[in-house]
Every structure is written in structure tokens, then in C-alpha cells.
Amino acid sequence: MSSQKQVRRKTVKDIAKAKKGDPLVCLTAYDAPRAALIDPYCDLILVGDSVGMVVHGLDSTVGVTMEMMILHGKAVMRGSEEAFVVVDMPFGSYEAGPVQAFENASRIMQETGCQAVKIESGTYAGEIVSFLVERGIPVMGHVGLRPQAIHVDGGFKAKGRSGDERQRVIDEAKAAEAGGAFAVVIEGVAEDLAREITEQLSIPTVGIGASAACDGQILVIDDMLGIFDWTPKFVRRYGDVKGEIVRSVEAYASDVKARTFPGEAETYQIKANLRNS
């Protein structure tokens, strides 16, 4: 019998256990090296459409394409072994209806090998979620602040501040659950609303800017690592990767200009016996 450790990816059932167990640890990732680094610590890795802003320099997620999500989804799958991997469905890939959603969701799963897709689920999306789940595609919902809807909302604004808006967020979450979603991301809402939704749903909630009342937490990895000068209020910086990169590049540039890099240790030399042969 092989002595090698048998690696098993987490499943929908593993994620569901968070409703009565330890909180889910979730992060975004967009490439293989970062996926490999965070894989041992994460229950769920999201290949978020935030890749458009974080990696490609877009000003919103609206311009993200299917091809971009599939490319980055493949990379994350290659880099990870154990975490449950979810790939965002980009704007325009599911809103037209269940058939369009299935065609694009099935393509994402076939080409990346991921375990599930995520959609920004307004109340209209219950039918879409149900259609996908019935056909074998696990779906994660996303309610509250929905980045793909910023042009309707007038920017990235917290949700649930009025009575009507609060009820709409609750209705969105319930519609996702009723459709068969295995979990729901709650973004940009007050703690009491996040707590109410979490208590009312039988599926796990994953918060981002929604307090510790949720069943798990997710952050954009570049935000928590300190890559950018500005981050949202709900982000805690766990590192200063930008500072380390700047310091390293400054040192490299200085060594190149001083001709101290490459040095003897980084230079190939011809062995004496070969030189004289």
C-alpha cells in the first residue's frame, strides 16, 4: 500500500457542515502559485470576477469575460489540491435565463474542473439557481452589495440601509436558498442584517463586509496582503506585500546599476579542464 497521503478535495457536504461547525475560511485566488500557498488554510477558494480589477486593472467587474474566468480558474485548479474551488460567472453570462446560464456554467466546470460556480443572485435568480442545480451544477449565491450591479446602484454602496432595501436583500438570500444554492455570500451589509439572514437560512453564509455573524469569511487576497494603497473599511491587512516588493525591486535596481548583480554566485563559469581540452 502506498505511504503517500491521499489528498481529497472538499465537497459541497464539507462546506455545508459550517452551518453547525467551525467558520469557513475563504479567500480569492487568480493564479496557481497563490492558490498553492493558501490551499492548506482555506476551505473554499473563489476565483472571483474581482480578477478584472485586481489583476487586469479594470475599474469594475463588468468588463470581465468568460475567457478570463476560465483562464484563471484553470490556474487555480492546477495550484490547489484540497480547497473547494468556486468560479464566478461573469456579468452577462447568466442573466438572460436558465438555458444561457447552464451553457456557460457547464463550460466553466468542464474547462476548469472547478467544483461550483457563483452568481450574483437577485430575486430573479432563484429559477436560474434551480435550473443549474437540477442539472448537476452546484451554485453559490451572492447578495447585498453586488459589484456587477454598480451601474444601477451608482457605485459600490452598502446595502440594507432602508426597510425596503433590507427586505430585498433577505428575499434575495431566501430565493438563492430555495433554488438550491449550497451557500450564499453576503457583501456590504450591517451586522444585524447579516445575522438575521444567517439565522434564517439553513445553508452557510460567507461574509465580506458583513460582520462575524456569518458562517464564514472571505476577502480578496490582494487586499488582505496589502498590495494596494487603499482598501475597503471591512478589510484587515495581514501583510505588507507591496512594501516588500518595492524594497526588493529597489535593492535589485541598485545592484544592477552598481554591477554587483549578477555576482560570482549567479554566474556560470567554464571548468578549467573543459577550457584546456
Side-chain angles (χ1 to χ4, degrees):
M1 181 181 291
S2 173
S3 61
Q4 288 185 331
K5 175 185 175 183
Q6 295 298 311
V7 177
R8 179 185 73 86
R9 277 199 186 273
K10 292 180 174 64
T11 67
V12 167
K13 290 185 177 180
D14 294 317
I15 302 303
K17 292 176 183 177
K19 197 65 189 177
K20 297 180 180 179
D22 294 332
L24 292 166
V25 178
C26 313
L27 281 171
T28 66
Y30 317 109
D31 56 40
R34 295 196 198 200
L37 288 172
I38 69 175
D39 185 59
Y41 308 99
C42 286
D43 299 298
L44 184 152
I45 296 176
L46 173 66
V47 187
D49 58 359
S50 50
V51 68
M53 304 173 72
V54 173
V55 176
H56 295 277
L58 301 178
D59 59 4
S60 77
T61 63
V62 174
V64 174
T65 65
M66 282 283 293
E67 286 69 27
M68 289 164 66
M69 295 311 305
I70 290 170
L71 175 68
H72 291 282
K74 288 179 177 178
V76 169
M77 286 299 296
R78 284 192 289 265
S80 61
E81 293 184 317
E82 298 182 55
F84 187 87
V85 177
V86 181
V87 176
D88 261 340
M89 294 192 69
F91 177 73
S93 68
Y94 58 91
E95 294 90 341
V99 174
Q100 179 208 31
F102 178 76
E103 289 175 350
N104 287 319
S106 59
R107 180 186 168 198
I108 288 173
M109 294 194 71
Q110 287 175 336
E111 295 190 29
T112 67
C114 70
Q115 281 70 62
V117 298
K118 180 171 77 65
I119 68 172
E120 293 189 8
S121 41
T123 52
Y124 71 90
E127 180 186 3
I128 292 173
V129 174
S130 177
F131 193 89
L132 296 180
V133 172
E134 287 176 357
R135 286 155 181 79
I137 298 177
V139 179
M140 188 176 200
H142 183 142
V143 303
L145 193 167
R146 294 188 284 123
Q148 293 176 6
I150 62 163
H151 293 305
V152 172
D153 295 337
F156 296 95
K157 299 179 179 180
K159 294 296 178 183
R161 293 181 173 179
S162 68
D164 289 345
E165 190 175 71
R166 180 187 181 92
Q167 188 58 50
R168 186 168 71 248
V169 176
I170 294 172
D171 291 344
E172 290 172 352
K174 288 184 175 179
E177 179 185 37
F182 68 88
V184 174
V185 170
I186 306 176
E187 180 171 359
V189 306
E191 179 178 10
D192 64 324
L193 178 54
R195 186 178 301 278
E196 182 176 352
I197 294 172
T198 299
E199 290 175 351
Q200 290 190 24
L201 297 188
S202 63
I203 58 176
T205 60
V206 177
I208 177 167
S211 84
C214 298
D215 298 307
Q217 298 295 323
I218 188 166
L219 285 175
V220 171
I221 188 168
D222 295 70
D223 287 342
M224 58 89 72
L225 289 177
I227 293 290
F228 302 113
D229 292 328
W230 177 88
T231 54
K233 169 185 171 60
F234 55 77
V235 173
R236 180 181 296 176
R237 293 191 181 212
Y238 286 87
D240 179 28
V241 173
K242 177 183 178 180
E244 186 59 32
I245 290 174
V246 170
R247 286 188 288 272
S248 298
V249 174
E250 284 179 343
Y252 167 71
S254 177
D255 287 351
V256 169
K257 290 178 180 179
R259 294 189 181 277
T260 58
F261 175 82
E264 183 177 353
E266 299 93 13
T267 303
Y268 294 106
Q269 302 289 346
I270 299 176
K271 294 181 179 179
N273 61 335
L274 293 178
R275 185 183 298 115
N276 298 324
S277 61

